[in-house]
Amino acid sequence: MTTDEKAGGFRYQEAESAFPYLSQLIGGYMHQDMDIEYDSISDAVAGFAEIALPQERAGVKNDLERLSRRHNEEPDVFHEYFGADLDLAAIGVSFEDFAAMVIRVVDDPAAAKDFDI
């Protein structure tokens, strides 16, 4: 049994390899205790963006762009990779809206206030 199978079918290892910067953002900032540190997901992204190196911010955007292309072909791919930490369907947010928010807030952390995510 692989680590991913033990983790309820979520593809953690593959996600970390294929999307390392996005994995770092989600695993480090959007976990089950996120609400203790941040008021919203967009605030968590801003927290990341404020301390991240330029190459880390660029890496998140590149990972999201590549994941967006995969999402067009495999609509459940985000959930399969990151659903244990961040279940977009459960919070009523589309992948497209989430990706657009992250890309904007990574570029401009002050933009977090413009989102209700």
Side-chain angles (χ1 to χ4, degrees):
M1 183 176 287
T2 68
T3 302
D4 286 348
E5 289 171 330
K6 291 178 192 174
F10 294 107
R11 297 157 53 184
Y12 293 122
Q13 290 178 334
E14 187 179 340
E16 288 176 358
S17 175
F19 307 104
Y21 295 100
L22 186 58
S23 293
Q24 176 187 4
L25 170 61
I26 291 173
Y29 289 81
M30 298 177 202
H31 46 72
Q32 67 225 21
D33 295 328
M34 179 191 79
D35 59 339
I36 295 171
E37 297 178 52
Y38 301 103
D39 292 330
S40 65
I41 293 171
S42 57
D43 285 343
V45 175
F48 165 83
E50 289 169 350
I51 65 167
L53 297 172
Q55 62 265 29
E56 292 171 322
R57 293 190 303 272
V60 167
K61 293 190 305 185
N62 289 335
D63 282 356
L64 269 172
E65 289 167 6
R66 287 185 299 105
L67 186 57
S68 291
R69 288 191 294 273
R70 292 265 314 265
H71 182 267
N72 290 336
E73 298 170 13
E74 302 172 60
D76 292 333
V77 72
F78 182 87
H79 182 75
E80 291 172 7
Y81 285 143
F82 302 109
D85 287 321
L86 181 61
D87 186 349
L88 295 178
I91 59 172
V93 176
S94 71
F95 171 75
E96 293 81 6
D97 287 346
F98 170 77
M101 178 275 294
V102 170
I103 288 170
R104 181 153 173 233
V105 174
V106 163
D107 278 339
D108 178 13
K113 66 181 176 8
D114 297 336
F115 293 92
D116 193 23
I117 298 175

